[in-house]
Amino acid sequence: HRYCVNVYTGCEHQCQYCYATGYIAAEPNCKNRFRQDLCKDLDALEAYDVPPAPVHLSNSTDPLQPLEEQHRHTLFVLQRLAEYRNRFSTVTLLTKNPAVLMDDRYVQVLHRLGELPSDHLRRALFDAKGCPPLRVECSLAFFNDEHRRLLDSVAPTVESRMEALRFLRKEGVPVFLRIDPLFPRDPLGGGKTMADFGLPDVQPLRDLEGLVNFSRELAAGHIIYSAAKITRPKQGALPPVMERMKRVYQHLAGEQPLVFHGGSWRLPESAAAPLVLKPFLELCHRYSMPAKPCKMNLITTP
């Protein structure tokens, strides 16, 4: 078993490609009685002596979005998790705004979470495998802000994320880079380029190479990746940029239909593997950076 704490509802970053737009609330907000309910759940784990399991913050909303600057609910969660550290194995924090973690209050609690107590049931396993019991995963799909502004318009800049990750590494905090999602890139085949669909080449190989090299610079645990999904929003139509990306997908799929699953259109595997994933994985191999698909990263976290 494993846990997920979605600290807030909705997300202020409003990334155009986010899979969570298919089901999360349109407006970001705090949850009613969030702190009380969290404490109640933690007390229940203790009362029933539940064995330790991984916990993830957050798989559907960014726990360090601007709401955190005002409410500090994520800081509260991290502090409570540290108090109940024996109930959790790996603590994973997933964000696009790691700069919040440069605050000394967060640094202190991250250090606490990065050490398993001597009587922790998984301590020997983690020591034997050399697994860090804390992970800060930062999503960084673009290497320049021109492309970031097109698809991550409200999210923090590329440089601010890089600066924060360098800071965290100097503090001894384990970091993992999510070059996620991966998009098609020029040339598209059939004499077409992204410009033919009204889009720039948002992830040219030289930019992906810069991201992979940055991951190596950080000595990141590994890179996490997945092919981009075209998600049907819970409310309203596809954003124009994703409607154009869908047409790119239809071009790449040729005579095959796009795969529609879980509210999202995806490239058929026969197109995604050679056109989107293979060139990226070759870069990872060249830089000796291990890479895991998003789902595999989730289910193999100890």
Side-chain angles (χ1 to χ4, degrees), residues 92-165:
T92 300
L93 185 67
L94 169 58
T95 185
K96 287 186 177 176
N97 194 19
V100 174
L101 300 176
M102 298 169 74
D103 182 310
D104 190 56
R105 292 169 293 178
Y106 293 87
V107 173
Q108 289 182 23
V109 74
L110 290 177
H111 284 155
R112 289 175 63 194
L113 290 167
E115 293 289 336
L116 294 180
S118 59
D119 60 344
H120 194 285
L121 292 178
R122 300 283 181 85
R123 176 69 182 265
L125 174 66
F126 274 74
D127 288 347
K129 290 188 174 182
C131 296
L134 169 73
R135 298 182 179 189
V136 173
E137 295 182 357
C138 179
S139 295
L140 187 58
F142 308 106
F143 196 57
N144 69 70
D145 277 312
E146 178 184 353
H147 299 150
R148 191 270 308 166
R149 280 191 292 268
L150 178 66
L151 291 153
D152 273 0
S153 60
V154 190
T157 66
V158 171
E159 184 54 39
S160 73
R161 293 185 232 184
M162 288 183 164
E163 178 185 357
L165 291 174

Side-chain angles (χ1 to χ4, degrees), residues 3-264:
Y3 306 106
C4 177
V5 183
N6 284 300
V7 180
Y8 300 103
T9 61
C11 185
E12 294 177 84
H13 290 157
Q14 300 175 11
C15 301
Q16 301 289 297
Y17 51 79
C18 181
Y19 62 84
T21 59
Y23 59 86
I24 63 173
E27 294 297 325
N29 215 327
C30 296
K31 297 180 177 181
N32 294 330
R33 292 179 46 84
F34 174 75
R35 295 192 179 201
Q36 297 94 316
D37 289 343
L38 176 76
C39 292
K40 182 180 177 181
D41 289 343
L42 291 170
D43 287 342
L45 295 181
E46 193 74 16
Y48 289 101
D49 195 21
V50 180
V55 59
H56 302 260
L57 287 78
S58 304
N59 290 344
S60 294
T61 67
D62 196 317
L64 302 177
Q65 61 181 290
L67 279 170
E68 176 65 11
E69 300 276 5
Q70 179 180 356
H71 299 284
R72 304 294 178 186
H73 286 336
T74 295
L75 178 61
F76 179 82
V77 174
L78 296 173
Q79 291 168 339
R80 297 291 85 75
L81 293 180
E83 292 175 7
Y84 289 80
R85 194 65 185 86
N86 278 329
R87 297 297 154 197
F88 303 99
S89 50
T90 303
V91 177
T92 300
L93 185 67
L94 169 58
T95 185
K96 287 186 177 176
N97 194 19
V100 174
L101 300 176
M102 298 169 74
D103 182 310
D104 190 56
R105 292 169 293 178
Y106 293 87
V107 173
Q108 289 182 23
V109 74
L110 290 177
H111 284 155
R112 289 175 63 194
L113 290 167
E115 293 289 336
L116 294 180
S118 59
D119 60 344
H120 194 285
L121 292 178
R122 300 283 181 85
R123 176 69 182 265
L125 174 66
F126 274 74
D127 288 347
K129 290 188 174 182
C131 296
L134 169 73
R135 298 182 179 189
V136 173
E137 295 182 357
C138 179
S139 295
L140 187 58
F142 308 106
F143 196 57
N144 69 70
D145 277 312
E146 178 184 353
H147 299 150
R148 191 270 308 166
R149 280 191 292 268
L150 178 66
L151 291 153
D152 273 0
S153 60
V154 190
T157 66
V158 171
E159 184 54 39
S160 73
R161 293 185 232 184
M162 288 183 164
E163 178 185 357
L165 291 174
R166 291 186 179 107
F167 170 86
L168 291 172
R169 286 303 295 130
K170 288 181 180 178
E171 287 290 330
V173 176
V175 299
F176 293 72
L177 199 64
R178 298 185 70 105
I179 306 178
D180 179 25
L182 294 172
F183 291 93
R185 61 196 66 87
D186 288 338
L188 297 175
K192 298 287 187 180
T193 67
M194 296 287 278
D196 291 310
F197 298 90
L199 293 168
D201 188 2
V202 294
Q203 281 181 336
L205 279 179
R206 64 179 180 276
D207 282 10
L208 287 176
E209 185 173 9
L211 290 171
V212 173
N213 189 41
F214 176 62
S215 185
R216 186 175 68 170
E217 173 196 330
L218 294 173
H222 56 260
I223 292 171
I224 302 144
Y225 69 92
S226 67
K229 307 174 185 68
I230 312 294
T231 300
R232 184 170 60 192
K234 180 180 179 181
Q235 298 175 336
L238 276 176
V241 66
M242 295 312 293
E243 185 63 55
R244 294 194 289 271
M245 193 67 72
K246 184 182 176 186
R247 293 200 291 270
V248 172
Y249 273 32
Q250 290 167 334
H251 167 73
L252 293 176
E255 296 181 356
Q256 301 180 76
L258 298 183
V259 178
F260 187 77
H261 176 71
S264 299

